[in-house]
Amino acid sequence: MQKLISKFTETFGPSGLEDDIRRVIYEEVKNYADEVFTDPLGNLVAVRKGKDPRLMLAAHMDEIGLIITHIDEKGFLRISSVGGVTFYQLIGQRFMFANGTIGTVYHEKVDSFKELTWSKLYLDIGAANKEEAAAKVSLGDMAVFHHSFVDLGKRYIAKAMDDRIGCVILVELLKRLYGQKVSQELVFVFTVQEEVGLRGAKSAAYKLAPRYAVAVDVTRVGDMPEAPRMDVSLGKGPAIKVKDSSVICHPKVRDLMVKTAEKNKIDYQLEVLERGGTDAGSIHLSREGVPSGVMSIPCRYVHTASEMVDGRDVENGVTLMEKICLSPEWSSMGQ
Ligand code: CO
Ligand code: ZN
């Protein structure tokens, strides 16, 4: 699984430009599903055929990044964010474009870091003038953190753990369910454009019309020095979401998830995320409504170049999702 985490996190794929990561995921899922297709917006769907009720499982493929807003005469690139990027975390970081061009972010002179704004930042790709820059990149091009995966022992750091770790979990789950009998239909959806407003999941849920859904994403934790209060820690098991700013998880789906964890003696934590959202926020509002839950992998430093997860939470997350998919209770749950 570690190899998959390193491969998925190191692949390029900002919101709206998910071709590379979709290709990588497609190669992993193609032999384990009854049908695999890409929808008009670019969501990758792998179907395990079965009976009603259909259960949609979603993890987003896209990652946060930067976009070029202007190239100046001296060849410096002015930038804006794609998704939730905090500008003071960018100073000195390297970014890479789809064509492999790499640059580093710095800022104009400021007397205090409080004066930092997007307009004071620039990306330097080593171009001596506008022509040299324009030969490598164009207005509107997007870049992502250029940072490699590191194995710290039990924990890992990488860019884009949000939400390639969810993609890894769905891929592992699909492989684990291969050859096992699952009664209801499962649709595994690797969504696009989550980071800019849960967009891909919206059209995917409309097309697939699932009866229930479970999204898999990362969540913030409160176990670092002087961290904001948050009752989720690294290494204490996958989190079962109660609420974030995009969704109040359906009590029946949440209860099914909690009972499944308890029955199978899988460590879990309950999650209330005060700010942030995930694909379930779009999915549960599709058509006449789709009761939805979320399993979150605890993650430190979300939306930075080095997001940290604990490998044991990931392993337990796959097992919990496996048991959830195999639960007979979906067919008798009702609305
Ligand atoms: Co995110
Ligand atoms: Zn996410």
Side-chain angles (χ1 to χ4, degrees), residues 20-182:
D20 288 358
I21 181 65
R22 182 171 50 245
R23 226 171 285 128
V24 169
I25 296 175
Y26 173 78
E27 286 304 315
E28 295 296 328
V29 300
K30 64 177 183 190
N31 295 326
Y32 298 92
D34 299 312
E35 189 192 344
V36 184
F37 64 90
T38 300
D39 78 3
L41 286 191
N43 299 296
L44 179 69
V45 183
V47 184
R48 264 293 302 265
K49 293 218 166 97
K51 285 187 279 199
D52 279 347
R54 175 181 291 155
L55 174 61
M56 173 174 174
L57 307 165
H60 66 92
M61 294 189 283
D62 64 315
E63 65 186 297
I64 56 169
L66 300 179
I67 185 164
I68 302 176
T69 58
H70 176 73
I71 303 176
D72 77 15
E73 291 307 319
K74 292 186 169 165
F76 295 103
L77 315 179
R78 294 300 174 148
I79 47 182
S80 179
S81 65
V82 178
V85 181
T86 313
F87 53 77
Y88 60 77
Q89 279 159 353
L90 304 183
I91 315 298
Q93 294 289 351
R94 294 176 191 178
F95 278 81
M96 189 177 75
F97 291 88
N99 66 4
T101 298
I102 291 170
T104 182
V105 174
Y106 208 67
H107 58 88
E108 297 173 2
K109 178 179 163 297
V110 284
D111 293 324
S112 152
F113 279 107
K114 286 187 182 142
E115 289 170 29
L116 271 186
T117 57
W118 279 101
S119 66
K120 295 219 185 299
L121 296 185
Y122 58 86
L123 183 62
D124 185 347
I125 55 168
N129 53 49
K130 191 169 192 167
E131 288 64 42
E132 271 189 41
K136 291 177 159 183
V137 294
S138 306
L139 189 80
D141 283 358
M142 290 183 191
V144 300
F145 284 118
H146 180 59
H147 235 52
S148 48
F149 167 87
V150 183
D151 179 354
L152 301 172
K154 294 183 173 89
R155 292 171 174 180
Y156 311 123
I157 44 177
K159 72 153 177 83
M161 282 293 186
D162 175 13
D163 183 29
R164 304 287 163 71
I165 204 71
C167 297
V168 169
I169 288 172
L170 289 197
V171 167
E172 285 292 324
L173 178 64
L174 188 65
K175 289 180 179 175
R176 247 197 236 183
L177 292 173
Y178 188 70
Q180 292 197 63
K181 204 182 136 24
V182 185

Side-chain angles (χ1 to χ4, degrees), residues 277-293:
T278 184
D279 279 341
S282 278
I283 300 167
H284 82 291
L285 295 175
S286 188
R287 293 176 179 257
E288 70 269 45
V290 181
S292 300

Side-chain angles (χ1 to χ4, degrees), residues 232-252:
V232 175
S233 306
L234 229 57
K236 292 192 176 167
I240 296 169
K241 193 186 291 286
V242 178
K243 177 191 181 292
D244 64 20
S245 0
S246 71
V247 64
I248 295 168
C249 291
H250 197 286
K252 286 187 177 166

Side-chain angles (χ1 to χ4, degrees), residues 60 64 162 194-195 217-218 302-303:
H60 66 92
I64 56 169
D162 175 13
E194 189 270 355
E195 296 291 359
D217 205 336
V218 298
V302 173
H303 286 196

Side-chain angles (χ1 to χ4, degrees), residues 222-292:
D223 64 350
M224 304 88 78
E226 304 289 322
R229 188 189 306 149
M230 166 102 191
D231 272 1
V232 175
S233 306
L234 229 57
K236 292 192 176 167
I240 296 169
K241 193 186 291 286
V242 178
K243 177 191 181 292
D244 64 20
S245 0
S246 71
V247 64
I248 295 168
C249 291
H250 197 286
K252 286 187 177 166
V253 177
R254 195 185 83 205
D255 288 350
L256 184 153
M257 295 173 74
V258 166
K259 272 190 216 147
T260 305
E262 283 173 356
K263 202 186 326 170
N264 294 282
K265 302 197 164 51
I266 302 165
D267 286 340
Y268 72 95
Q269 317 177 59
L270 286 179
E271 171 206 349
V272 177
L273 180 65
E274 291 181 64
R275 264 174 310 166
T278 184
D279 279 341
S282 278
I283 300 167
H284 82 291
L285 295 175
S286 188
R287 293 176 179 257
E288 70 269 45
V290 181
S292 300

